[in-house]
Amino acid sequence: MEKSNTFNIQPYRRAIQLGFAALCILIGVQFSVFIGQVEQGITPSVLRPAGVEAFLPISALISLKYWLLTGVFNKVHPAGLILLLIIIVTGLFLKRGFCSWVCPAGLASEYLAKVHGLLFRKLLTLPRWLDYPLRGLKYLILLFFLWSIMVQMNVVYLERFIYSTYNKAADIKMLKFFTQISMTTLLVLAGLVVLSILIRSFWCRYLCPYGALLGALSWLSPLKIRRNQDTCINCQKCTKVCPVQILVHKETSVLSDECNACLQCVDACPVSDTLYLSVGRSKGRMSGWTYAVIIVLVFLLGTTLARLTGFWQNNISVNEYRYLIQQATQTGHPYYIE
């Protein structure tokens, strides 16, 4: 039976992606102004945006282990840990929705995929014998960080890192990574862009440790894309639009760790109640609207709660930031570990 409801969630998903991307740009500009004024020795006219800590995943992972071992939620970069916890929650309950609804890198990958479509008549894909081992690279990178931090580091080393000048200035180093970009870094980024044009979602599919973490957590998520074999007409439209090349038309439940819950396959299916997102095969169905509202609310409520409870802004004063910058300038060795 042809769909009676032709509602398509994709324009709204794109609007949410663009909204989060705009927020990241705003945070970057505000933080750049804040640090620039601190460097000039004047009182900053803007507050330091705590959201900049979203780009400090290593610090957040170290803070997570320290919190689990000691019960202390440190205030050096608390927003980073808050955001890591929110992302973990989305992975456990909403699959890899972070990748296709929130992450700016995911948005960039989708636009680069459009460039691929303009340049090549046919989608270029790697053969399975090469694709599968390369997909394992992001898990090796993730395991390296998990082993180095969650296994190797004890409380003493965790605490030493957290309260070091190196970690306190991690947000400044991250800013300088972009504002004082080296030729080597520029070439690497350019290479990733070219590879992402040639091979769809190259970074997300093969190298992103966040994608690996969320892919692993998505196995535990109760939500799955499910296909009703009795009503499926085998048009394969779902598979054709899948950005991560899952053979959706052959699955009864999509279990792939690459599924990012973009819902493009659900929107493409021409038959009612044939492809849907749900907790079980016959219950707990979730519309695209509901999913969109939930994933946005998780971030809004999580960050709002952190603000209200005092676990959002760090406890590094403007004077301490000024000291960190002065020390880096005087020593010529930026933000060393004490």
Side-chain angles (χ1 to χ4, degrees), residues 27-28 31-32 34-36 38-39 47-57 59 75-80 161 164-179 312-317 320-322 324-325 335:
I27 288 171
F31 185 61
S32 180
F34 172 84
I35 292 298
V38 171
E39 288 176 329
L47 291 175
R48 172 191 176 275
V52 74
E53 293 171 21
F55 297 92
L56 306 176
S59 179
K75 294 292 189 70
V76 176
H77 293 304
F161 178 89
S164 68
T165 54
Y166 184 91
N167 185 47
K168 288 180 179 180
D171 49 357
I172 306 176
K173 294 198 298 293
M174 184 273 300
L175 175 66
K176 299 301 181 182
F177 176 85
F178 292 102
T179 60
W312 187 243
Q313 293 290 346
N314 69 17
N315 62 1
I316 303 174
S317 67
E320 189 168 4
Y321 269 114
R322 188 169 290 122
L324 292 171
I325 293 169
Y335 319 117

Side-chain angles (χ1 to χ4, degrees), residues 19-210:
F20 276 106
L23 179 61
C24 287
I25 293 171
L26 178 62
I27 288 171
V29 171
Q30 186 174 337
F31 185 61
S32 180
V33 171
F34 172 84
I35 292 298
Q37 292 177 339
V38 171
E39 288 176 329
Q40 294 170 36
I42 62 178
T43 301
S45 60
V46 296
L47 291 175
R48 172 191 176 275
V52 74
E53 293 171 21
F55 297 92
L56 306 176
I58 304 303
S59 179
L61 188 59
I62 287 174
S63 291
L64 174 60
K65 184 178 181 183
Y66 186 71
W67 180 44
L68 293 175
L69 290 179
T70 67
V72 176
F73 203 108
N74 79 82
K75 294 292 189 70
V76 176
H77 293 304
L81 178 51
I82 290 292
L83 290 166
L84 175 61
L85 292 173
I86 290 173
I87 292 169
I88 288 173
V89 167
T90 65
L92 284 172
F93 297 100
L94 299 170
K95 295 181 67 61
R96 282 183 61 178
F98 172 79
C99 300
S100 62
W101 291 77
V102 178
C103 181
L107 175 64
S109 290
E110 290 188 25
Y111 277 118
L112 291 174
K114 290 182 182 295
V115 176
H116 178 106
L118 294 174
L119 295 177
F120 305 101
R121 291 184 178 181
K122 186 178 180 181
L123 178 66
L124 300 182
T125 58
L126 295 179
R128 285 180 177 265
W129 63 265
L130 182 58
D131 176 60
Y132 277 98
L134 286 179
R135 280 164 56 183
L137 284 176
K138 63 180 181 287
Y139 285 99
L140 291 177
I141 296 170
L142 175 64
L143 286 174
F144 169 77
F145 288 121
L146 291 178
W147 173 261
S148 301
I149 295 170
M150 304 304 284
V151 177
Q152 294 289 86
M153 294 184 74
N154 59 28
V155 172
V156 174
Y157 285 108
L158 293 168
E159 190 168 284
R160 182 167 179 255
F161 178 89
I162 288 169
Y163 297 105
S164 68
T165 54
Y166 184 91
N167 185 47
K168 288 180 179 180
D171 49 357
I172 306 176
K173 294 198 298 293
M174 184 273 300
L175 175 66
K176 299 301 181 182
F177 176 85
F178 292 102
T179 60
Q180 298 177 1
I181 192 166
S182 68
M183 182 56 67
T184 300
T185 301
L186 193 60
L187 289 174
V188 170
L189 291 177
L192 287 174
V193 169
V194 171
L195 286 170
S196 295
I197 292 174
L198 295 175
I199 303 168
R200 194 170 187 176
S201 301
F202 182 86
W203 166 260
C204 303
R205 190 173 182 85
Y206 301 123
L207 297 176
C208 180
Y210 252 133

Side-chain angles (χ1 to χ4, degrees), residues 81 124 245 259 302 308:
L81 178 51
L124 300 182
Q245 303 161 40
C259 177
L308 293 175

